[in-house]
Amino acid sequence: MRRLFPVTDQTPAPPRDAADLADREWSLDELAEAYAYPALTADGHWLRANMVSTLDGGAQHDGRSQPISGETDMRIFGTLRALADVVVVGAETVRQEGYRPARAREAFAARRAACGQGPAPAIAVVTASLDLDFSLPLFTSPLVPTLVVTGAAAPADRVAEATRAGAEVVVAGEGAGVDAGRVVRELAARGLRRQLTEGGPRLLGQFVAADALDELCLTISPMLVAGGAQRIAGGPSVTVPHRLAPACVLEEAGFLFTSYRRI
Ligand SMILES: NC(=O)c1ccc[n+]([C@@H]2O[C@H](COP(=O)([O-])OP(=O)(O)OC[C@H]3O[C@@H](n4cnc5c(N)ncnc54)[C@H](OP(=O)(O)O)[C@@H]3O)[C@@H](O)[C@H]2O)c1
């Protein structure tokens, strides 16, 4: 993998950051440095999304993102998880991708401890229906309790079942559904301030519309899928396009690993 942006000094040769520019496998430590969260104020929070898109804008193939991903994309996916306090994900992605609890990873243990983080991020599933299989390990045996984020009018029997399974139910909306901006605030109020959303597109679109997204880590996969695949963010359009600034672009085997931040 090599860094394409930022390139701080390309002259005179050899450049100061020749190690970055050379095409070689990056260690997990180097990836963690490249994707470190910004410093947060005492009550601050940061929501980043990690998504993969094909060249023609597809966010999935055959209903899953795995066919358009790759080995390095999965390493970065794992790194981003390992840096986060919480992974926020829509229920449909949980159902389609068979989500499991996040695991503790030795390679990131010291970094997490230094940041006051537990061994693994919590998974927070956003759902109105709570139509989830609460007998799955995601709910019954995570390292840290899985959160179910829903509205105040969510079905009481499903809420009771989620709680029985060991999940913590977080209310972030007055109706059956949640308000995306409130999701961020409710999680931050629980000390989960370094936030990562893994989509899917319907949930990400709501974070965008609520102007709650601080950073997009977008993998551009060198593939075409055509067909009716979703884009990475869906739902109603924003009134004025939100402009972000590039923070980092890495390349490996034709995949571009980009990160854009709120200006
Ligand atoms: N390319 C990528 O990086 C990427 C990433 C993630 C997912 N994907 C793909 O995207 C597809 C799934 O994404 P999706 O957009 O269809 O679904 P999604 O965003 O993962 O989940 C949608 C579900 O989330 C819940 N939800 C969303 N907004 C809500 C709100 N305001 N209040 C309460 N609950 C809310 C609802 O759950 P209930 O139905 O339970 O009420 C809704 O059906 C899959 O094919 C997956 O493979 C791709």
Side-chain angles (χ1 to χ4, degrees), residues 50-53 58-60 62-66 68 89-97 99 126-132 149-151 176-180 198-204 206 230 232:
N50 181 28
M51 303 293 286
V52 56
S53 168
Q60 81 265 97
D62 278 347
R64 302 194 64 202
S65 54
Q66 183 273 332
I68 62 171
V89 63
E92 192 57 30
T93 296
V94 169
R95 290 187 285 257
Q96 298 236 8
E97 306 259 358
Y99 261 50
V126 177
T127 174
S129 69
L130 282 85
D131 182 11
L132 294 156
V149 187
T150 191
V178 305
D179 167 75
E198 295 175 348
R202 281 187 283 162
L203 180 61
L204 180 58
Q206 294 171 62
Q230 290 164 284
I232 62 159

Side-chain angles (χ1 to χ4, degrees), residues 2-259:
R2 61 204 170 105
R3 183 189 291 276
L4 304 183
F5 181 87
V7 180
T8 51
D9 183 6
Q10 294 195 71
T11 57
R16 267 213 302 270
D17 45 2
D20 276 9
L21 292 166
D23 194 4
R24 63 184 175 80
E25 182 166 314
W26 284 27
S27 69
L28 290 175
D29 256 352
E30 288 171 308
L31 287 178
E33 286 301 323
Y35 284 100
Y37 277 83
L40 298 178
T41 55
D43 59 352
H45 47 73
W46 187 264
L47 174 66
R48 64 166 38 148
N50 181 28
M51 303 293 286
V52 56
S53 168
T54 62
L55 295 174
D56 55 347
Q60 81 265 97
H61 185 60
D62 278 347
R64 302 194 64 202
S65 54
Q66 183 273 332
I68 62 171
S69 177
E71 193 183 325
T72 304
D73 187 42
M74 291 316 296
R75 282 186 93 212
I76 292 174
F77 176 94
T79 301
L80 292 173
R81 278 193 162 197
L83 297 174
D85 297 337
V86 63
V87 176
V88 190
V89 63
E92 192 57 30
T93 296
V94 169
R95 290 187 285 257
Q96 298 236 8
E97 306 259 358
Y99 261 50
R100 297 184 57 80
R103 58 195 175 93
R105 298 183 57 191
E106 187 53 41
F108 298 101
R111 192 178 288 272
R112 288 189 69 86
C115 291
Q117 294 173 305
I123 306 278
V125 184
V126 177
T127 174
S129 69
L130 282 85
D131 182 11
L132 294 156
D133 183 350
F134 291 112
S135 68
L136 290 176
L138 177 60
F139 300 103
T140 57
S141 49
L143 279 171
V144 283
T146 292
L147 306 165
V148 171
V149 187
T150 191
D157 56 332
R158 301 300 297 162
V159 170
E161 195 173 336
T163 308
R164 263 199 308 278
E168 181 184 344
V169 176
V170 175
V171 172
E174 294 311 314
V178 305
D179 167 75
R182 188 167 155 192
V183 172
V184 171
R185 293 191 299 274
E186 293 288 347
L187 294 173
R190 288 161 174 78
L192 304 170
R193 305 190 302 127
R194 297 177 199 88
Q195 302 174 357
L196 169 69
T197 180
E198 295 175 348
R202 281 187 283 162
L203 180 61
L204 180 58
Q206 294 171 62
F207 284 129
V208 171
D211 198 17
L213 192 71
D214 298 300
E215 179 179 4
L216 173 63
C217 297
L218 175 66
T219 296
I220 300 169
S221 167
M223 300 184 197
L224 298 166
V225 287
Q230 290 164 284
R231 294 188 295 119
I232 62 159
S237 173
V238 297
T239 317
V240 179
H242 298 181
R243 181 158 182 178
L244 308 180
C248 179
V249 182
L250 309 173
E251 187 272 344
E252 156 92 32
F255 283 78
L256 293 180
F257 303 99
T258 75
S259 155

